[in-house]
Amino acid sequence: MSDNVPELRVVGYTDRPNYHAGDQISVYVSALGRDVAYRPKVVELVCASSDIKGPGLQERETSFAMLQPKVATQQATLTGSFIQTSFTPSPDVSFYSLGAIMKPSKPMNRRQALLSTLRADDGTGLSLYLNEDGYLCLRIATDAVVIDHQGPFVEVGEWQLAAAEIDVAADTITLRTSRAGVNSTRSRPADMRVTNMGAERFEFFGTDLRIAADHCASGPSEDGTNCFDGKLEAPAIFYRRLTVVEWLKWEQGQPPADAAACWDFSIGMKTSIVTDISGNGHPGRCMQLPARAVTGARWTGTCHSWELHPEQYAAIKFHSDDQFDCGWDVSFEIEIPEDCPSSVYAIKLENASVPEYIVFFVSPSEGERCQDVVYLASTANYLAYANWGLFDRLEYFEPARGRLTCAGPEDVALYCNPRFQKSAYDYHKDRSGIRYSSWRRPIFNLRPDTRLSSFSGDSFVLSWLDAIGQAHDVVTDHDLHQRGAHALDGCKVLITGCHPEYWSTPMVAALQAFQESGGSLMYLGANGMYWRIAFSEEWPNAIEVRRSQGGSGAWKSEPGEDCLAFTGETGGIWRNNGAACYRLLGVGTTAMGFDFATPFYRNPASYDGRANFIFEGVKGEVIGDFGIGFGGAAGQEIDRWDPDLGSPKHALVLASSKGHSDNMLGVLEDFVNTTLAAGGTMNAKVRADMVFFETGFGGAVFSTSSICWPSALPINGFDNDVATITTNVLKRFLKPEKFDLP
Amino acid sequence: MAIDHERDLGLAREFWQNPFSIHSPALAALMRELRREDPANRHFLLLVDPGRKWMLARTDSHSATGFSFYEDKLFDSPEEAEWEIFRLRWKRITGRELPLSFERGANQ
């Protein structure tokens, strides 16, 4: 690209988002193409927006040790999920039967391995695979010959048993496919192709069996392992010929018991381990986070919980673009100084083009009491939106949002480097929704000057705290999940960013416990506590989301796949899972729109004596008719107070927004039918409600119900009504006098 | 809807005056027409100097990168960019040029 077009040329990541003073950080860096010379340094990020209406990009020098200049080369990036087993077929057998039940995804335009022992070094071994034209094939490769046998055509999107028989004595290969599962067409016979083996002598020189991929060849090729896209169930290998009845039983997910190896994916679905039920002791391990707890060939449609009927969820869904860990070599390491204050930091990689920022957070150490004020960094949200594929939906965005789509260099770089998994708002190559997101990959859109509904917008809260001289600690969503309410020990006032959308059950419990212990909450955003997520110790720091049971998101979970694999809990939105958002925040998501923002207008409740402290120094009825990016304090995503859904009835609805356009659309879960009356000019529920209420435990909650609220804080040097109200609330919440219920 | 240069000039003025607002039903319909673009050749803005400069760009299936960047089309604000792309699309459909600006406050 031209020198006038900003270009991201080097990216990196760390192991996790949250660290403590004294920790060591491993930093992984790669060039995006040719080598890049860079100078790394650690900066504290106080404001992550360069917008001229705000304080500007604020990076502070730190006490981290100086780092030497370095050169980034392009590192090979691992992608694509599979299972690595410890099973190697015996070479001294005269008959092999091997296969798996499968449901391949679209498109099938490349080679995809089902079961493979091909060695990475010399390519010898055996691979049962689908070829580029959609045929089931078997490769037998010895040190003398490589022969590909083509079998029957495979049906995309259908459950079928795909198998091979190798009759060494008769020198024949039989490849067969047959409908499988409870919904299959039973009258259809198996489709079989018999060919001569071709090799003078069958020699089994394979290595440990891999399921859903061939063995990795080094190099950055995204399809280097011929990963499978689709579901697999009941893979097995036998050292004998199977009877017709046995084939029929295998089609129903019950292969014979005397397998040399047979893996039952319905066992241990919360884990990364797959169990060999043959009794021969050959477990496997899932690599790169394929999806477990997905409907299998035996799913009847009568059950939506994999914990109740695991046999109906005996499949694993693989994607050639699954990515838990890029697998890069460590580029350098950083020691966090023992006296490092809790804050938001970035490892800045300065180079001749756009600098890379590898963001990380330092939170108080375990056992250390927090300061009175804690800022909750939305690391779960950053993960959910990590590598949001703007250009995959460019056609949709401008008409739907009512303004030109604006991309950053990070969006262009992500599009030009498709080997990095996209966000939980995007789709896999087979058009299924991406349900996992991991920290162990570069996150292109976690950096300064990205969207104001995320990291950059959040940073206005930090810059406001800095501007008013308020000391604070930073605690992440990951800390809250891992340590519960103890992560907030000592905290009196917890302040969120603009978009704390993703919450695990332990995170919700931690917030509830914090409030029940007298803590106060300033929820300075919207769309909070919307989707339930889960974490797993098996896949550290990654999140899982299932978009089920309504909810306004980018994709829908497949029928029967409502429950999270990591925990077994029902996924979807918190509104349908106990309404925690209404109870704890006082409000819940009501609308989304991205054309412009509006002001708040004071309601009579704002003159209630309980709210006097909030509006001290505020003149006029209109609040926040200004803001960075969208021109108002109420916009992008907004929440409403709704006692029918669980909002506290004693809450004061201090102010509400109005004047939203029809591009600001009510959330799906408020409708039972499609309607033209969803937008801001016709839908009374399209409003942001600014809410205050006492918790009954001595603390209180102030909710702004708008993602745009923090973006209005910095206007006029933090001297405006939005900043005044926010500061008034913080000062009162910090006072020792408790709040009583009215 | 078919866009007519003479008839719809008032709608152009309405957009120019306030691109980010609740549009009249007629302007909303016109915007739906203008914003209908081939995904393989769709305009967008590239942030080149955060908070200060935006560059017009489009997807381009014939380009090695997949994009074309208009390095001479730089804007100081999203509003300025909205008006420029409005004029560009208007000309594509009607064959007629819109003025660079209207007289503020005057009737059409």
Side-chain angles (χ1 to χ4, degrees):
Chain A
M1 280 186 271
S2 154
D3 289 343
N4 296 324
V5 177
E7 188 178 358
L8 194 59
R9 292 178 180 154
V10 59
V11 292
Y13 61 89
T14 58
D15 291 319
R16 62 182 197 266
N18 53 330
Y19 293 88
H20 305 305
D23 282 351
Q24 182 168 291
I25 304 176
S26 295
V27 186
Y28 307 80
V29 174
S30 172
L32 296 173
R34 63 180 184 275
D35 292 358
V36 177
Y38 67 94
R39 298 173 303 282
K41 69 175 194 177
V42 178
V43 297
E44 183 183 5
L45 278 174
V46 180
C47 181
S49 166
S50 302
D51 198 291
I52 53 177
K53 296 191 189 78
L57 186 63
Q58 292 181 308
E59 299 174 2
R60 273 202 193 124
E61 298 293 324
T62 65
S63 60
F64 282 73
M66 293 281 287
L67 296 160
Q68 295 300 310
K70 303 179 190 305
V71 174
T73 55
Q74 182 158 1
Q75 299 215 44
T77 299
L78 301 179
T79 182
S81 57
F82 58 89
I83 294 169
Q84 183 59 57
T85 77
S86 60
F87 171 76
T88 304
S90 169
D92 304 318
V93 177
S94 60
F95 200 100
Y96 299 85
S97 301
L98 65 153
I101 300 172
M102 66 169 184
K103 186 180 182 183
S105 303
K106 292 178 186 176
M108 289 206 305
N109 55 4
R110 59 181 182 81
R111 179 176 166 144
Q112 300 180 56
L114 302 174
L115 303 171
S116 176
T117 67
L118 294 182
R119 296 172 60 96
D121 50 3
D122 60 10
T124 60
L126 172 153
S127 178
L128 184 67
Y129 68 96
L130 310 180
N131 73 6
E132 295 82 350
D133 298 319
Y135 288 88
L136 178 66
C137 296
L138 183 74
R139 166 169 290 194
I140 294 177
T142 69
D143 52 0
V145 292
V146 176
I147 301 173
D148 286 286
H149 301 267
Q150 183 170 305
F153 190 69
V154 163
E155 293 178 83
V156 174
E158 296 286 349
W159 283 110
Q160 56 220 290
L161 177 58
E165 293 173 297
I166 304 169
D167 188 336
V168 178
D171 194 28
T172 58
I173 303 290
T174 303
L175 285 159
R176 54 181 289 153
T177 61
S178 55
R179 289 288 185 93
V182 294
N183 296 317
S184 67
T185 308
R186 301 296 308 129
S187 59
R188 183 168 170 175
D191 193 357
M192 291 195 277
R193 298 282 186 279
V194 182
T195 53
N196 186 278
M197 191 157 14
E200 285 186 13
R201 189 166 59 90
F202 180 69
E203 298 171 326
F204 210 104
F205 290 121
T207 183
D208 286 351
L209 184 84
R210 183 168 282 191
I211 301 169
D214 282 328
H215 281 265
C216 183
S218 61
S221 166
E222 61 179 308
D223 289 324
T225 54
N226 301 322
C227 287
F228 174 66
D229 277 305
K231 290 177 176 176
L232 289 179
E233 178 171 342
I237 292 187
F238 301 88
Y239 292 151
R240 66 176 178 84
R241 187 189 301 275
L242 302 187
T243 67
V244 172
V245 172
E246 287 171 331
W247 281 114
L248 288 172
K249 283 191 171 178
W250 195 353
E251 288 168 11
Q252 295 307 305
Q254 294 170 318
D258 62 338
C262 178
W263 295 273
D264 183 346
F265 296 161
S266 73
I267 300 171
M269 280 186 267
K270 290 179 183 174
T271 74
S272 61
I273 302 298
V274 296
T275 301
D276 174 17
I277 58 171
S278 71
N280 296 322
H282 297 293
R285 179 180 290 278
C286 295
M287 310 298 288
Q288 298 292 4
L289 196 35
R292 304 195 71 170
V294 295
T295 53
R298 288 174 282 169
W299 185 62
T300 61
T302 58
C303 170
H304 289 251
S305 167
W306 58 265
E307 287 193 301
L308 287 178
H309 288 281
E311 76 284 357
Q312 296 191 28
Y313 292 83
I316 292 181
K317 178 85 187 287
F318 300 90
H319 303 96
S320 57
D321 54 353
D322 279 330
Q323 190 170 61
F324 171 71
D325 186 346
C326 279
W328 293 352
D329 294 332
V330 175
S331 302
F332 58 93
E333 292 181 324
I334 294 174
E335 298 279 346
I336 301 177
E338 293 290 348
D339 60 351
C340 180
S342 167
S343 192
V344 180
Y345 295 92
I347 304 152
K348 184 178 181 182
L349 310 183
E350 295 176 310
N351 62 87
S353 189
V354 175
E356 162 71 326
Y357 288 83
I358 307 170
V359 174
F360 66 97
F361 303 84
V362 175
S363 53
S365 301
E366 206 156 331
E368 184 183 344
R369 287 181 71 77
C370 297
Q371 301 190 65
D372 288 351
V373 175
V374 166
Y375 167 74
L376 181 63
S378 300
T379 47
N381 215 47
Y382 302 151
L383 268 183
Y385 286 90
N387 296 345
W388 189 63
L390 176 76
F391 289 107
D392 293 346
R393 282 159 290 168
L394 196 61
E395 181 186 5
Y396 156 83
F397 280 131
E398 188 187 350
R401 298 187 163 202
R403 64 190 296 154
L404 268 170
T405 301
C406 186
E410 71 282 359
D411 297 309
V412 174
L414 180 65
Y415 179 85
C416 294
N417 293 276
R419 64 186 179 279
F420 300 108
Q421 183 179 293
K422 289 185 181 153
S423 78
Y425 284 79
D426 292 289
Y427 295 86
H428 287 291
K429 289 175 183 169
D430 69 357
R431 301 301 297 164
S432 61
I434 295 176
R435 65 193 100 190
Y436 298 107
S437 182
S438 170
W439 198 267
R440 296 180 63 89
R441 62 196 170 116
I443 300 178
F444 285 65
N445 55 346
L446 182 55
R447 65 182 59 245
D449 295 315
T450 49
R451 287 174 178 75
L452 293 175
S453 57
S454 190
F455 184 65
S456 290
D458 285 342
S459 75
F460 293 129
V461 175
L462 291 165
S463 54
W464 159 71
L465 287 168
D466 186 70
I468 64 172
Q470 177 62 56
H472 60 275
D473 283 327
V474 173
V475 168
T476 67
D477 288 343
H478 284 67
D479 293 302
L480 205 57
H481 173 84
Q482 291 157 1
R483 296 168 54 197
H486 288 303
L488 301 174
D489 280 348
C491 168
K492 292 178 180 170
V493 183
L494 179 66
I495 303 177
T496 74
C498 67
H499 199 177
E501 180 179 356
Y502 288 83
W503 290 67
S504 67
T505 302
M507 288 169 62
V508 170
L511 179 62
Q512 182 163 334
F514 168 73
Q515 290 182 323
E516 289 175 353
S517 68
S520 292
L521 173 69
M522 294 177 70
Y523 165 46
L524 299 185
N527 193 217
M529 209 174 280
Y530 190 64
W531 294 104
R532 169 183 265 167
I533 53 166
F535 292 85
S536 168
E537 290 182 5
E538 295 262 329
W539 303 99
N541 302 301
I543 60 167
E544 180 188 16
V545 60
R546 300 264 174 140
R547 301 198 189 276
S548 52
Q549 292 194 59
S552 299
W555 47 267
K556 298 289 180 198
S557 289
E558 289 184 32
E561 297 185 0
D562 295 345
C563 295
L564 295 149
F566 282 174
T567 61
E569 299 169 297
T570 305
I573 54 176
W574 277 103
R575 170 168 160 169
N576 294 339
N577 284 294
C581 46
Y582 294 94
R583 287 189 290 109
L584 301 179
L585 310 178
V587 291
T589 305
T590 192
M592 304 173 186
F594 304 90
D595 50 356
F596 62 91
T598 68
F600 284 88
Y601 299 85
R602 288 180 69 167
N603 293 325
S606 70
Y607 295 96
D608 188 296
R610 290 158 58 202
N612 280 348
F613 72 93
I614 299 173
F615 291 94
E616 281 176 15
V618 175
K619 298 186 179 79
E621 298 295 307
V622 180
I623 299 159
D625 53 348
F626 48 78
I628 293 172
F630 292 85
Q636 297 198 72
E637 297 181 14
I638 54 178
D639 297 353
R640 74 172 189 272
W641 174 79
D642 195 330
D644 291 341
L645 294 174
S647 294
K649 291 183 174 60
H650 69 282
L652 295 174
V653 183
L654 306 166
S656 300
S657 66
K658 57 185 177 185
H660 296 286
S661 77
D662 284 333
N663 288 315
M664 178 66 89
L665 292 162
V667 289
L668 287 172
E669 52 271 25
D670 276 332
F671 298 96
V672 291
N673 289 304
T674 51
T675 173
L676 273 173
T681 67
M682 292 180 279
N683 183 354
K685 289 180 176 174
V686 176
R687 64 176 197 276
D689 287 333
M690 186 194 303
V691 160
F692 164 77
F693 65 95
E694 303 85 351
T695 60
F697 301 100
V701 174
F702 173 71
S703 296
T704 66
S705 297
S706 165
I707 283 182
C708 282
W709 184 269
S711 298
L713 285 168
I715 298 297
N716 193 34
F718 296 96
D719 184 8
N720 61 68
D721 287 348
V722 169
T724 299
I725 288 170
T726 315
T727 305
N728 286 346
V729 171
L730 176 59
K731 284 181 175 171
R732 170 62 186 90
F733 280 12
L734 282 170
K735 286 183 177 175
E737 292 84 16
K738 293 184 176 176
F739 287 96
D740 295 322
L741 283 174
Chain B
M1 68 174 276
I3 300 174
D4 182 277
H5 181 81
E6 303 295 343
R7 183 193 67 205
D8 296 329
L9 208 54
L11 300 178
R13 167 190 289 281
E14 181 189 339
F15 186 81
W16 173 78
Q17 284 179 325
N18 202 346
F20 304 127
S21 65
I22 297 177
H23 295 150
S24 67
L27 177 56
L30 183 138
M31 294 311 297
R32 283 195 291 275
E33 185 65 29
L34 286 182
R35 285 173 170 152
R36 189 175 295 153
E37 280 189 327
D38 180 357
N41 187 11
R42 181 153 200 101
H43 288 88
F44 65 95
L45 290 181
L46 179 72
L47 186 60
V48 292
D49 186 1
R52 293 174 181 81
K53 281 283 186 244
W54 290 261
M55 179 187 288
L56 188 62
R58 67 176 171 86
T59 52
D60 182 353
S61 53
H62 300 298
S63 159
T65 60
F67 302 104
S68 282
F69 299 98
Y70 298 85
E71 295 183 39
D72 58 334
K73 297 276 187 191
L74 288 167
F75 310 104
D76 296 329
S77 72
E79 288 84 352
E80 193 183 311
E82 288 282 351
W83 177 238
E84 177 64 20
I85 191 70
F86 185 100
R87 293 178 68 244
L88 194 150
R89 289 165 171 169
W90 181 283
K91 186 179 180 189
R92 187 191 67 210
I93 292 173
T94 68
R96 303 278 298 275
E97 290 269 9
L98 282 170
L100 288 172
S101 65
F102 291 92
E103 192 178 338
R104 203 165 278 280
N107 293 326
Q108 67 180 73

